[in-house]
């Protein structure tokens, strides 16, 4: 729908909201509705690593990036380190505890690798409702508090082009 301007799409959505008509998008069979949430920028890209201290050292000592201390995130079963890169970050992940989802990832990817991408949203509860109504599976029924102290939820990778997507409310 690159040929349609954003104002035109807003007018279609507003018409659907005002009239209650089943105005259809040109490229899908889904009804257009007035969005109660907005997607924002990439907050971070997360990388699982078998040695978080070595990975942090590479970003700090070799590349000269600003790197946080290692923090445990017991609710998520991980240790995290954040590497600041201007307006975005890299999150380094390492297992915390025997049932860490990161350990499962590292068992399949011994050297580590990209684990997920985190995208900001302005209303996580509305985003969750909307995405569920569109058939996107959430990995939890409710949001949890993430590493930045803000609500987060993960979307099933099979519904997101094979990528684990984390939404974080800003």
């Amino acid at each position: 729908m690159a040929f349609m301007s954003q104002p035109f799409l807003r007018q279609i959505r507003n018409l659907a909201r005002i009239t209650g008509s089943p105005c259809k998008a040109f490229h899908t069979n889904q009804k257009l509705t007035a969005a109660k949430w907005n997607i924002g920028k990439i907050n971070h890209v997360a990388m699982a690593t078998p040695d978080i201290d070595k990975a942090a050292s590479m970003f700090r000592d070799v590349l000269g990036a600003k790197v946080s201390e290692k923090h445990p995130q017991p609710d998520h079963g991980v240790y995290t380190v954040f590497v600041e890169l201007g307006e975005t970050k890299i999150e380094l992940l390492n297992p915390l505890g025997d049932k860490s989802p990161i350990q499962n990832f590292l068992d399949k990817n011994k050297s580590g690798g990209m684990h997920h991408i985190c995208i900001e949203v302005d209303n996580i509860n509305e985003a969750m409702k909307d995405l569920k109504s569109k058939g996107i599976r959430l990995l939890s029924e409710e949001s949890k508090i993430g590493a930045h102290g803000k609500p987060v939820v993960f979307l099933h990778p099979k519904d997101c082009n094979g990528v684990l997507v984390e939404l974080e409310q800003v």
Side-chain angles (χ1 to χ4, degrees):
M1 293 199 356
F3 62 91
M4 287 189 233
S5 69
Q6 287 299 319
F8 179 72
L9 289 174
R10 267 194 299 279
Q11 289 174 341
I12 291 173
R13 287 185 185 104
N14 287 337
L15 180 61
R17 181 177 46 82
I18 293 166
T19 65
S21 72
C23 190
K24 304 272 186 190
F26 294 103
H27 68 291
T28 71
N29 289 327
Q30 292 186 351
K31 293 179 183 178
L32 289 175
T33 58
K36 295 181 181 177
W37 65 282
N38 294 295
I39 194 165
K41 66 178 181 156
I42 293 174
N43 181 283
H44 65 267
V45 173
M47 297 170 52
T49 177
D51 187 339
I52 199 167
D53 296 321
K54 182 178 176 183
S57 175
M58 189 272 298
F59 282 103
R60 181 184 54 249
D61 302 332
V62 176
L63 298 177
K66 183 177 177 184
V67 177
S68 76
E69 296 296 318
K70 179 169 64 172
H71 295 282
Q73 307 293 332
D75 290 346
H76 298 278
V78 297
Y79 287 102
T80 60
V81 168
F82 282 95
V83 179
E84 292 185 30
L85 301 171
E87 298 220 359
T88 191
K89 297 174 274 304
I90 292 175
E91 179 183 38
L92 303 176
L93 301 170
N94 191 248
L96 170 64
D98 296 334
K99 296 183 181 179
S100 173
I102 298 306
Q103 187 59 59
N104 295 335
F105 182 90
L106 289 172
D107 289 344
K108 296 173 188 166
N109 305 277
K110 300 293 183 201
S111 299
M114 191 186 112
H115 184 261
H116 69 267
I117 184 170
C118 178
I119 301 171
E120 296 178 354
V121 297
D122 64 353
N123 187 327
I124 199 160
N125 293 325
E126 289 298 326
M128 291 170 67
K129 279 191 250 179
D130 186 41
L131 293 169
K132 280 173 74 172
S133 77
K134 293 176 178 173
I136 303 296
R137 290 173 284 175
L138 310 177
L139 296 186
S140 61
E141 288 298 314
E142 295 183 12
S143 63
K144 297 179 180 181
I145 299 302
H148 296 117
K150 298 176 181 178
V152 300
V153 68
F154 285 88
L155 310 180
H156 199 293
K158 289 185 179 176
D159 299 335
C160 299
N161 302 303
V163 176
L164 180 61
V165 175
E166 177 184 24
L167 300 180
E168 178 178 282
Q169 183 168 304
V170 290

